Amino acid sequence: EESLQMWDLNKRLEAYLARVKFLEEENEVLRAEIQSAKGSPAGDSWRMKYEEELRALRDALDHAFREKCTAELARDNLYEEIQQVKSRCQKEQAAREEAKKLLSLSRKELEEERRAQIWLKERAVQLEKEVENLLEVHEEEKAGLDQEIASFSQSLEGFRCASVAFQPVEVEDYSKRLSEIWKGAVETYKTEVSQLEGSLCQAKENLWKAVEDNHQSQLLLQHLEKDLAGLKARKEMLEESLAQQWQEQRGEAEKFQLAMEALEQEQQSLRVQIARVLEDRQQLMHLKMSLSLEVATYRTLLEAESTRLQMPAG
């Protein structure tokens, strides 16, 4: 029975020794792999590669941040330019309104000048008719006076003896007075007609000036409308460029964010793998210690058994 127990113990001891030897070899292999991974250039290259990728991503992030700052500066510049364009549009709108007001005033003045011209023309026609009537009346009165003078002179021909005593002095004075009155009236009407003609010419000049001002105002208004259309188109183009830059910047920021998240996930997975390897190594160390203790125990038992068997029977 003791021999069977010893044989069983020997078999178990052989199995434990084989297992310990296998675990020690595997431990040595793992230790060599860990040391090679720590000191090998492949591990260093992997670490350097990881650091280079991390450095490149940091540089890309810095570059994206600088581009973001540049885009913000460009946005601020575009905003200032848009504000300047808006202020210029407001100024041009105010100038346009002022031109419209001047155009309406010019139109009113033009209408007034036209009315004054029409009135002056009518007044000139009336004065011409009055002058013609006065001339006709004057001619009729003059003809009547000539007839009266002729009849009076014929009646006075019979009084040749007393020709000196009966001269028509009063009639001649009356004729002189009438001729002077007629000359004064003609001069007065001529003066009024010349004044009316001068007023008509002045009205024509004012009308021409108003038409020219109206034309200039229309040209200025067209020029302002063209400038306003160009500024509106430029404003739309700047807004589209700003929106496109914002979209591009947002897309690049999202790409960098995804890349950073992927790197963080990879780093987390590497940390988990390293922790798992360390845990496996710790378990192997504990198993090695337990096997070493068990081997030492069986060795002690075998030594005790061999000592007991080698003792003499007495």
Side-chain angles (χ1 to χ4, degrees):
E1 186 177 359
E2 288 179 357
S3 297
L4 291 174
Q5 289 179 358
M6 288 299 295
W7 183 75
D8 188 14
L9 288 172
N10 287 327
K11 292 292 183 184
R12 290 177 64 186
L13 182 59
E14 289 177 0
Y16 277 115
L17 290 173
R19 187 177 178 186
V20 168
K21 186 176 180 181
F22 175 73
L23 290 173
E24 285 180 354
E25 291 176 355
E26 189 175 359
N27 192 9
E28 290 295 332
V29 171
L30 290 173
R31 186 182 290 109
E33 288 181 357
I34 291 170
Q35 292 296 330
S36 63
K38 286 182 178 180
S40 64
D44 293 337
S45 63
W46 177 82
R47 186 184 182 90
M48 291 174 65
K49 184 178 180 181
Y50 176 74
E51 289 179 354
E52 287 178 358
E53 289 180 357
L54 187 60
R55 192 180 298 110
L57 288 172
R58 286 177 180 173
D59 293 335
L61 185 62
D62 294 334
H63 182 67
F65 182 74
R66 287 194 295 270
E67 287 183 352
K68 182 182 178 183
C69 294
T70 306
E72 287 179 354
L73 290 173
R75 182 194 63 188
D76 295 335
N77 292 327
L78 288 173
Y79 181 75
E80 291 178 357
E81 191 171 357
I82 288 169
Q83 292 295 327
Q84 291 178 1
V85 169
K86 285 183 178 178
S87 63
R88 187 175 177 184
C89 288
Q90 290 177 358
K91 290 180 181 178
E92 290 184 354
Q93 188 69 26
R96 185 178 178 182
E97 294 293 332
E98 187 68 24
K100 285 183 178 179
K101 290 180 180 178
L102 292 174
L103 182 61
S104 62
L105 291 174
S106 299
R107 286 177 180 175
K108 289 180 180 178
E109 291 179 356
L110 182 61
E111 292 294 331
E112 291 178 356
E113 292 292 335
R114 286 178 181 176
R115 292 175 183 174
Q117 186 179 3
I118 292 168
W119 181 80
L120 289 172
K121 286 180 179 180
E122 292 178 353
R123 182 64 177 168
V125 171
Q126 290 178 1
L127 290 173
E128 287 177 357
K129 289 180 179 180
E130 290 179 359
V131 168
E132 290 177 356
N133 293 325
L134 288 173
L135 288 173
E136 290 178 357
V137 171
H138 181 69
E139 290 293 333
E140 290 177 357
E141 290 179 355
K142 186 178 179 181
L145 288 174
D146 290 336
Q147 290 176 2
E148 288 180 0
I149 290 169
S151 62
F152 186 74
S153 60
Q154 289 177 3
S155 63
L156 290 176
E157 284 179 358
F159 301 97
R160 291 179 180 177
C161 297
S163 58
V164 178
F166 296 99
Q167 291 180 357
V169 180
E170 294 180 359
V171 174
E172 289 179 358
D173 293 336
Y174 183 70
S175 177
K176 288 180 181 180
R177 288 178 183 177
L178 285 175
S179 62
E180 290 175 358
I181 291 169
W182 178 74
K183 288 180 181 180
V186 170
E187 292 294 331
T188 303
Y189 281 115
K190 284 182 179 180
T191 305
E192 290 180 359
V193 168
S194 62
Q195 290 178 358
L196 289 173
E197 287 178 354
S199 299
L200 184 61
C201 293
Q202 187 68 30
K204 286 181 179 180
E205 290 179 358
N206 293 330
L207 179 63
W208 175 254
K209 189 182 292 184
V211 171
E212 187 68 23
D213 292 337
N214 188 9
H215 183 66
Q216 293 293 330
S217 300
Q218 287 180 357
L219 292 176
L220 180 62
L221 183 61
Q222 291 177 0
H223 182 68
L224 291 174
E225 287 178 353
K226 288 181 181 179
D227 291 340
L228 182 61
L231 290 173
K232 285 182 179 179
R234 187 177 179 185
K235 179 183 177 183
E236 291 176 357
M237 184 176 65
L238 290 174
E239 288 178 352
E240 289 178 358
S241 177
L242 182 61
Q244 187 176 2
Q245 288 182 1
W246 269 108
Q247 289 179 359
E248 291 178 356
Q249 184 180 359
R250 191 175 298 150
E252 291 178 357
E254 290 178 355
K255 288 180 181 178
F256 285 118
Q257 187 68 28
L258 292 174
M260 290 297 293
E261 290 178 357
L263 286 173
E264 288 179 357
Q265 290 178 0
E266 187 177 357
Q267 186 179 4
Q268 191 68 26
S269 63
L270 288 172
R271 287 179 181 175
V272 171
Q273 290 178 4
I274 292 169
R276 190 179 299 160
V277 170
L278 291 174
E279 187 177 357
D280 293 337
R281 184 180 177 186
Q282 191 73 23
Q283 289 179 0
L284 289 172
M285 292 295 291
H286 285 298
L287 183 60
K288 181 180 177 182
M289 290 175 67
S290 62
L291 288 174
S292 298
L293 289 173
E294 190 173 356
V295 168
T297 302
Y298 277 106
R299 188 176 294 167
T300 304
L301 289 174
L302 287 172
E303 289 177 355
E305 187 66 25
S306 65
T307 304
R308 189 177 63 80
L309 291 174
Q310 289 176 3
M311 288 176 66

